[in-house]
Amino acid sequence: MNARETAIRVFSNELNGTSLETKGDEEMSPTYIITPLGTKINRILIAGVLTEKENVGSDDEPMWKARIQDVNGSFFLNVGRYQPEAAAVMADLDTPSFIAVIGKVKTYSPEPGKTYVTIRPERICEIDEYTRNVWILESAKCMWDRLNMVKKALSNPDAGANDLVSLGFTSVEAESMIMALDHYGTPESSKYLKTIQSALRLLLPDKDVDFGIPGDLGDLPDEIEDVKPSSSSNDTGITAVEKEDLILQFIEELDVGGKGAPRDQIDRMAESEGISSTEVEEISDALMDKGLIYEPNLGFLRKI
């Protein structure tokens, strides 16, 4: 059995600016999109406010179209008979409400020169504002990292894939970045930097705080820690290995009935040990990469 593609966190303006789709040469190869920042995506994890939903099918065979608002744009969903669990959840959701979605991305072009990206959900669940805010913070960090990768690639304009690998890119990242720059050219960095600033402002009571985020790639620092207003984690004196062991222990304790441990309860237990929600997210990703845990449903974790 092939491993499932990692669900990528991405803001709507990066996704909706995408017009490049690629597929492997082998039969049944998965389809990917490549965004203007060189992000290669098959599956996506998004969160935001469900602002619109409409059943354009019938009561017997519903086909839901929905809009989810994130920091400064919208995602668009199509949910039909091939996603029965997601369709059932969508039918019961009210607008507005906070939701999270894992799904496959697909482009379509209704006319020459027009390309749209839609999401076909695998999982949909209602979440709280706190969980949405964690997604915003993680997505902002991911976009920051991508912008730094673009900056690095543009600083080496004649570099091939192997050259980018030697600069710290993975082979997939190197190939995707080259394809993105060939297809889109140099991205309009200012709009992505404004998105990051909007995301961070949304998370703070003072919406007008100046983070010192530069206007373009030329002044971009390598680390987001240089511009974020405060650290999101505490120095607890616990080693990384001990933190992983604690998270595994929490998952095991909270997994009642074999359905998995709720992420919000894991966060609360971890916070009592001085481990922030951002660290929990990073540790969970690392444990999944090691094959020690998996996500049976959106918002739940189980030990393997």
Side-chain angles (χ1 to χ4, degrees):
M1 182 182 295
N2 293 330
R4 300 182 78 186
E5 296 282 347
T6 300
I8 305 298
R9 293 169 177 80
V10 61
F11 286 125
S12 60
N13 65 339
E14 182 180 356
L15 186 72
N16 294 333
T18 298
S19 58
L20 177 58
E21 192 172 86
T22 182
K23 187 174 182 179
D25 296 328
E26 298 179 7
E27 188 176 357
M28 302 299 290
S29 293
T31 298
Y32 298 88
I33 63 169
I34 296 178
T35 75
L37 298 183
T39 314
K40 186 176 183 179
I41 302 174
N42 173 259
R43 296 173 72 240
I44 191 171
L45 169 59
I46 64 169
V49 180
L50 176 67
T51 58
E52 299 175 21
K53 73 170 190 176
E54 180 185 6
N55 182 8
V56 297
S58 64
D59 291 338
D60 294 332
E61 194 168 296
M63 167 62 76
W64 294 97
K65 290 187 177 294
R67 178 194 295 262
I68 299 174
Q69 180 79 24
D70 72 345
V71 174
N72 53 12
S74 297
F75 299 100
F76 300 92
L77 310 185
N78 288 319
V79 194
R81 61 178 178 175
Y82 297 113
Q83 303 88 32
E85 292 182 12
V89 173
M90 181 61 70
D92 292 335
L93 288 172
D94 295 322
T95 57
S97 58
F98 293 111
I99 70 170
V101 178
I102 289 180
K104 296 284 187 73
V105 289
K106 184 76 174 176
T107 65
Y108 71 98
S109 300
E111 58 184 273
K114 289 281 188 181
T115 300
Y116 298 95
V117 182
T118 63
I119 303 168
R120 294 190 177 274
E122 299 168 350
R123 303 280 185 185
I124 299 176
C125 72
E126 189 168 3
I127 58 175
D128 57 20
E129 185 177 8
Y130 171 79
T131 303
R132 189 282 307 263
N133 289 348
V134 170
W135 178 87
I136 287 175
L137 180 59
E138 291 299 320
S139 298
K141 291 168 66 177
C142 289
M143 180 173 277
W144 184 270
D145 290 341
R146 290 175 198 134
L147 285 167
N148 271 298
M149 293 173 71
V150 171
K151 177 184 176 183
K152 191 178 293 187
L154 291 174
S155 299
N156 299 269
D158 298 322
N162 291 335
D163 299 312
L164 292 182
V165 169
S166 69
L167 293 173
F169 289 65
T170 66
S171 58
V172 171
E173 291 169 344
E175 292 170 4
S176 300
M177 183 63 69
I178 290 172
M179 292 174 68
L181 293 175
D182 285 345
H183 180 77
Y184 302 103
T186 301
E188 186 184 342
S189 58
S190 59
K191 72 176 183 180
Y192 298 115
L193 290 164
K194 288 177 181 177
T195 297
I196 293 172
Q197 180 156 272
S198 296
L200 297 178
R201 281 178 171 171
L202 185 64
L203 303 179
L204 294 176
D206 182 1
K207 307 298 183 186
D208 297 323
V209 64
D210 182 6
F211 293 97
I213 292 179
D216 57 46
L217 288 176
D219 298 322
L220 190 69
D222 292 335
E223 301 293 337
I224 197 168
E225 285 78 9
D226 293 338
V227 297
K228 66 183 180 181
S230 63
S231 173
S232 60
S233 63
N234 300 314
D235 182 9
T236 62
I238 307 173
T239 68
V241 172
E242 289 171 335
K243 289 179 181 179
E244 287 190 357
D245 288 341
L246 272 174
I247 299 303
L248 284 171
Q249 178 184 326
F250 297 155
I251 291 171
E252 191 167 23
E253 291 176 2
L254 293 168
D255 184 4
V256 178
K259 296 180 179 180
R263 280 181 176 264
D264 57 347
Q265 293 185 32
I266 297 171
D267 282 345
R268 284 196 288 270
M269 291 183 73
E271 186 177 4
S272 69
E273 297 290 339
I275 303 172
S276 70
S277 60
T278 301
E279 285 184 288
V280 172
E281 186 76 16
E282 293 169 352
I283 293 167
S284 299
D285 287 344
L287 292 172
M288 281 190 273
D289 289 342
K290 293 177 181 180
L292 297 176
I293 63 173
Y294 70 104
E295 201 170 30
N297 286 295
L298 195 62
F300 289 81
L301 295 174
R302 282 200 76 193
K303 287 183 68 175
I304 294 176

